[in-house]
């Protein structure tokens, strides 16, 4: 055995050993308790970054610990391989997305293997493989049959740079989540998944996921956005229909003096058609399309609008209300039209003040004698209160009036109580090439026709040339779009949009349970054994997009008969970011640390150890070169414990009893078992790997202290071997390469991953105890049994918690406490 720690000489050796022995491969075993552990799979961008390393190291520690604890652990890995980045990168590099993607997969797979992660690579999937997305296309057909997949014309979020549609969840700050371009509003025919059919269940189950971070659940609850209110109808003055609105403040209806409508509202064109305002309205609509949606929703936005030339009628006052197009109203909420009550809504107040609209006060604060004077208002009064100037509803409280006014309008067919959700159906159409084709054809005779199941998969053609402007080549590639109608056999055209890549990632965790199954999308026996995922690990940035879609997909597949689960993930850990120089690592910041370089310099185990030790998993990790060097030094100390004492350690068996041990050896053995207990609980119950590692480091320090000057003591080495084996076994989930090497150096032949996790000896945890007297003002009042090595503070705490002392002292003030170690405690009153 080499005296000096050299990770290069051992890490490849153990990676080859693990791969040859297929130790990470797993099968269903009904005699073992299963545990499905999963980290969010990566996009094959070309290189893994330190965020990947941290995420996957966290998962690997959990997986190895559970394997050693007797669980049957499923720990798979694959690739979220479709998407715009591959397409854009391929255009830039003058290559094909498939070539770019698979080349990156090969490179990144090798990187993950170099880090020693315990993945079952026999279950590897890539979502761009037809053997994967064929089943996704089948799900689409089944959803189409149930009305859960449908096509409609709508205003969509359009990214001009990516040349594709974005879901609402993919618009961040009014910009594309991928390229940061300003998102525009554009009317197009699009395919949607009816996620709103599951809105109540999606919301209800956010209160039934105790293993999820509260922050994530709150984000999903806010995105779903449940509001209880009223749906009211405002008849058009022309008599040609009504404008529906949703409001939570029907009590303010008597103060509604005009109507505000979203520029993208479908009624806009009809309302202004033929009026003198038509040109101005359409110009305003075009301007609004180019605005960021978050800017339109911002409180500080300067309110702007234009009169449509039409009026509607307030259903309780009969007033003729002008209908305005307003830049602060969006279609994503409510009905896209808002009854404007300027006295009691700040946005309406600012708009009315700017455009000279009437302001009528209809709510006064509870307890106020008089209502505010409209002309003296400097801001809207938005709270509940007591109604005024509201006909027979005056003097009612807001809550009572909301019900009464809505009920009255309901009797006239102009209103009803309702629940409104912010969540909208999921638009899945993407006008890009590198994605799963939507299995639909269009026939002039038969209309929209689904592709028969027997013709799946609809394969994305690879022999196409990408367009330099970023648009999809599929609409102009005849071998793909020209086809025959499955119904009549006549000429037809394939759908050339592809599916949102979040569709692929919404069910991949289920396919991992049976990646080779070819009789259907999922093997019922396998999914029943493995699902749901016990522990899911990934970034907080996926709180709404991926996690919400995955929850929806599981519920859909359950109702389609493919799954039995209600939720995909029992427990969720959202790890913190890796930051350097106070910023998240990114190329633009110039603060990226290359994992390959770190592995070459220090070894995979050092990189893993630093990622685990520097911060708890849920906190941000501040990268430190000194911290990496410190991790390497610790592993070198751990190595020398074995290499410098190998002959003595291998000549004895581990200690199995504390009988007859000297004080310092008994303390070391106690420390070893305390460490086993702490590491076990920190990893199993809290995922506090940093404190677990700190405990192992403390044990190593104590081992070195005991070793000094005692190497010839024959009683020393059995305790040393027991303690050092504890260090190795407890460290093995964190630093598996060095752990297996040291384990074998001590004469063991099996892999640590197949070795039972260490158990602590309760008897060894008990410290030597002594009897200490407790005095009050110098007089003996009690005797207590305490650990012999108790500190002054600990002695004080033991004494003050003694029942006889508590009873004697009562509520009397204590001036001071004097502790004499191993002898007495004197409480001075």
């Amino acid at each position: 055995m080499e005296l000096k720690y050299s990770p290069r000489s051992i890490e490849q050796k153990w990676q080859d050993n693990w791969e040859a022995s297929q130790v990470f491969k797993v099968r269903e075993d009904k005699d073992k308790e299963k545990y499905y552990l999963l980290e969010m799979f990566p996009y094959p961008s070309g290189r893994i970054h330190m965020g990947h390393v941290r995420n996957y190291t966290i998962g690997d520690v959990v997986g190895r610990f559970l394997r050693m604890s007797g669980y049957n652990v499923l720990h798979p890995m694959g690739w979220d391989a479709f998407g715009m980045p591959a397409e854009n990168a391929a255009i830039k590099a003058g290559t094909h997305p498939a070539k770019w993607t698979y080349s990156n997969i090969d490179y990144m797979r090798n990187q993950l293997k170099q880090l020693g992660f315990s993945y079952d690579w026999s279950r590897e999937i890539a979502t761009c493989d037809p053997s994967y997305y064929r089943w996704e296309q089948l799900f689409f057909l089944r959803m189409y049959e149930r009305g859960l997949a449908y096509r409609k014309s709508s205003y969509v979020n359009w990214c001009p740079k990516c040349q594709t549609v974005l879901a609402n969840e993919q618009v961040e700050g009014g910009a594309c989540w991928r390229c940061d371009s300003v998102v525009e509003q554009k009317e197009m025919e699009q395919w949607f998944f009816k996620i709103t059919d599951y809105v109540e269940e999606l919301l209800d189950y956010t209160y039934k996921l105790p293993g999820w971070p509260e922050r994530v659940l709150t984000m999903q609850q806010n995105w779903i956005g449940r509001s209880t209110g009223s749906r009211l109808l405002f008849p058009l003055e022309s008599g040609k229909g009504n404008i529906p609105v949703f409001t939570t403040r029907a009590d303010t209806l008597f103060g509604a003096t005009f109507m505000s409508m979203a520029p993208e509202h479908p009624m806009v064109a009809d309302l202004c058609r033929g009026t003198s305002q038509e040109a101005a309205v359409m110009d305003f609509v075009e301007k609004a399309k180019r605005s960021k949606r978050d800017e339109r929703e911002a409180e500080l936005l300067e309110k702007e609008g234009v009169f449509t030339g039409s009026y509607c009628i307030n259903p309780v006052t009969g007033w003729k209300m002008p209908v305005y197009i307003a830049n602060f109203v969006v279609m994503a909420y409510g009905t896209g039209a808002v009854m404007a009550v300027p006295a009691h809504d700040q946005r309406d107040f600012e708009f009315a003040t700017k455009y000279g609209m009437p302001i009528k006060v209809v709510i006064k604060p509870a307890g106020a004698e008089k209502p505010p004077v409209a002309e003296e208002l400097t801001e809207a009064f938005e709270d509940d209160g007591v109604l005024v100037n509201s006909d027979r509803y005056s003097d009612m409280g807001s809550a009572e009036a909301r019900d009464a006014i809505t009920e009255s309008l309901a009797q006239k067919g102009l209103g009803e109580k309702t629940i409104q959700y912010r969540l909208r159906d999921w638009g899945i159409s993407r006008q890009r090439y590198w994605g799963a084709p939507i299995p639909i054809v269009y026939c002039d005779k038969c209309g929209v026709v689904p592709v028969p199941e027997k013709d799946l998969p609809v394969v994305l053609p690879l022999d196409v040339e990408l367009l330099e402007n970023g648009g999809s080549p599929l609409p102009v590639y005849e071998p793909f779009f020209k086809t025959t109608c499955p119904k009549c056999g006549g000429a037809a055209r394939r759908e050339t949009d592809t599916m949102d890549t979040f569709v692929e990632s919404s069910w991949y965790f289920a396919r991992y349970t049976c990646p080779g199954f070819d009789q259907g999308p999922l093997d019922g026996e396998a999914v029943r054994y493995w699902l749901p995922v016990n522990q899911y690990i990934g970034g907080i940035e996926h709180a709404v997009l991926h996690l919400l879609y995955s929850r929806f997909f599981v519920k859909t597949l359950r109702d389609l008969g493919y799954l039995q689960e209600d939720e995909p993930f029992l427990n969720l850990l959202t790890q913190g970011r890796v930051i350097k120089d106070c910023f998240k690592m990114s190329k633009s910041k110039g603060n990226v640390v290359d994992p390959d370089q770190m592995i070459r310099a220090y070894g995979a185990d050092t990189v893993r150890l630093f990622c685990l030790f520097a911060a708890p998993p849920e906190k941000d990790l501040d990268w430190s070169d000194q911290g990496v060097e410190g991790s390497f030094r610790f592993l070198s100390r751990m190595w020398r414990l074995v290499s410098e004492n190998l002959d003595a350690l291998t000549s004895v068996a581990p200690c199995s009893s504390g009988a007859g041990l000297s004080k310092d050896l008994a303390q070391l053995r106690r420390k070893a078992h305390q460490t086993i207990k702490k590491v076990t609980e920190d990893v199993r119950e809290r995922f506090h790997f940093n404190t677990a590692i700190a405990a192992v480091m403390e044990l190593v320090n104590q081992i070195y202290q005991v070793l000094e000057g005692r190497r010839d003591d024959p009683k020393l080495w059995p305790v040393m071997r027991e303690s050092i084996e504890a260090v190795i076994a407890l460290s093995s989930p964190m630093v598996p390469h060095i752990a297996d090497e040291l384990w074998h150096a001590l004469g063991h032949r099996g892999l640590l991953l197949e070795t039972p996790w260490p158990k602590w000896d309760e008897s060894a945890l008990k410290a030597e105890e002594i009897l200490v007297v407790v005095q009050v003002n110098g007089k003996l009042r009690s005797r207590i049994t305490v650990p012999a090595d108790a500190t002054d503070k600990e002695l004080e705490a033991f004494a003050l918690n003694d029942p006889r002392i508590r009873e004697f002292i009562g509520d009397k003030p204590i001036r001071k406490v004097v502790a004499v170690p191993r002898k007495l405690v004197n409480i001075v009153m």
Side-chain angles (χ1 to χ4, degrees), residues 14 97 105-106 108 131 185 194 233 241 298 324 365 476 515 521 601 686 689 702 749 794 800 814:
W14 286 106
I105 286 174
D106 290 341
M108 293 175 68
S131 67
Q185 295 295 304
K194 207 168 185 183
L233 297 180
Y324 273 73
V476 295
R686 294 178 284 273
F689 311 121
Q702 190 159 335
R749 289 294 166 257
E794 290 170 337
L800 293 175
I814 298 173

Side-chain angles (χ1 to χ4, degrees), residues 513-576:
T513 68
C514 52
F517 187 66
D518 61 1
Q519 303 304 305
L522 298 171
D523 180 345
E525 185 175 347
V527 295
R528 282 191 294 273
Y529 178 82
W530 289 115
L531 290 180
V533 175
N534 294 83
Q535 181 66 58
Y536 201 35
I537 303 173
I540 189 70
E541 65 271 18
H542 300 291
V544 172
L545 284 166
H546 164 58
L547 292 172
L548 186 64
Y549 292 156
S550 296
R551 296 181 59 224
F552 159 66
F553 234 78
V554 162
K555 296 175 190 303
T556 299
L557 295 184
R558 175 201 62 197
D559 292 348
L560 292 174
Y562 293 107
L563 297 176
Q564 295 182 342
E565 313 305 325
D566 296 317
E567 290 285 336
F569 316 118
L570 291 180
N571 299 285
L572 174 68
L573 171 65
T574 52
Q575 89 282 354

Side-chain angles (χ1 to χ4, degrees), residues 410-664:
Q411 294 174 6
K412 302 174 184 177
L414 294 174
E416 62 180 353
K417 292 182 181 178
T418 189
I419 296 173
Q420 181 76 38
Y421 293 93
R422 179 177 186 262
L423 183 67
R424 292 293 182 263
D425 283 340
W426 175 11
I428 65 157
S429 293
R430 298 294 177 268
Q431 292 67 45
R432 295 301 296 239
Y433 161 69
W434 191 235
I438 295 174
I440 290 290
V441 299
Y442 302 102
C443 172
D444 289 341
K445 180 180 178 182
C446 305
V448 178
V449 183
V451 173
E453 182 179 343
K454 66 180 179 61
D455 293 337
L456 299 181
V458 176
V459 177
L460 184 72
L462 301 182
D463 54 344
V464 296
E465 292 185 10
L466 300 184
L467 306 181
E468 291 185 3
N469 68 355
S472 172
L474 296 180
V476 295
Y477 185 64
E478 289 192 4
F480 178 76
F481 73 74
K482 276 192 173 182
T483 187
T484 56
C485 175
K487 278 190 176 181
C488 69
R493 182 182 180 90
R494 285 195 190 280
E495 171 64 76
T496 55
D497 285 354
T498 54
M499 289 194 232
D500 181 3
T501 55
F502 279 101
V503 178
E504 282 90 67
S505 60
S506 293
W507 71 283
Y508 78 107
F509 45 86
R511 185 64 181 173
Y512 273 146
T513 68
C514 52
F517 187 66
D518 61 1
Q519 303 304 305
L522 298 171
D523 180 345
E525 185 175 347
V527 295
R528 282 191 294 273
Y529 178 82
W530 289 115
L531 290 180
V533 175
N534 294 83
Q535 181 66 58
Y536 201 35
I537 303 173
I540 189 70
E541 65 271 18
H542 300 291
V544 172
L545 284 166
H546 164 58
L547 292 172
L548 186 64
Y549 292 156
S550 296
R551 296 181 59 224
F552 159 66
F553 234 78
V554 162
K555 296 175 190 303
T556 299
L557 295 184
R558 175 201 62 197
D559 292 348
L560 292 174
Y562 293 107
L563 297 176
Q564 295 182 342
E565 313 305 325
D566 296 317
E567 290 285 336
F569 316 118
L570 291 180
N571 299 285
L572 174 68
L573 171 65
T574 52
Q575 89 282 354
R577 304 169 301 169
V578 179
I579 60 175
K580 188 173 188 287
D581 305 327
C582 301
F583 294 100
K584 180 182 177 181
M585 285 188 182
S586 69
K587 292 180 182 178
S588 63
K589 294 288 190 298
N591 63 350
V592 171
V593 175
D594 181 8
D596 288 352
Q597 184 180 344
M598 289 291 104
I599 292 171
R600 285 193 297 270
Y602 297 102
D605 282 338
T606 295
V607 176
R608 291 169 60 116
L609 185 65
F610 172 75
C611 287
L612 296 165
F613 183 57
E618 69 278 5
K619 302 295 185 182
D620 287 349
L621 183 155
D622 194 356
W623 185 267
S624 162
D625 293 338
Q626 293 79 11
V628 176
E629 291 168 1
S631 296
F632 181 80
R633 285 196 300 272
F634 171 72
L635 293 181
S636 297
R637 293 189 79 210
M638 184 172 152
W639 179 272
R640 291 196 303 274
L641 274 180
V642 176
S643 67
E644 293 177 356
N645 304 288
L646 186 60
D647 290 342
L649 289 169
T650 54
S651 66
V652 298
C655 179
S656 58
S657 169
L661 295 179
S662 61
K663 178 182 176 181
D664 57 348

Side-chain angles (χ1 to χ4, degrees), residues 7-26:
R8 277 196 175 187
S9 65
I10 64 169
E11 290 186 347
Q12 187 62 54
K13 163 189 168 182
W14 286 106
Q15 290 160 16
D16 293 342
N17 184 303
W18 298 331
E19 187 164 352
S21 64
Q22 296 188 326
V23 67
F24 305 144
K25 192 169 184 178
V26 67

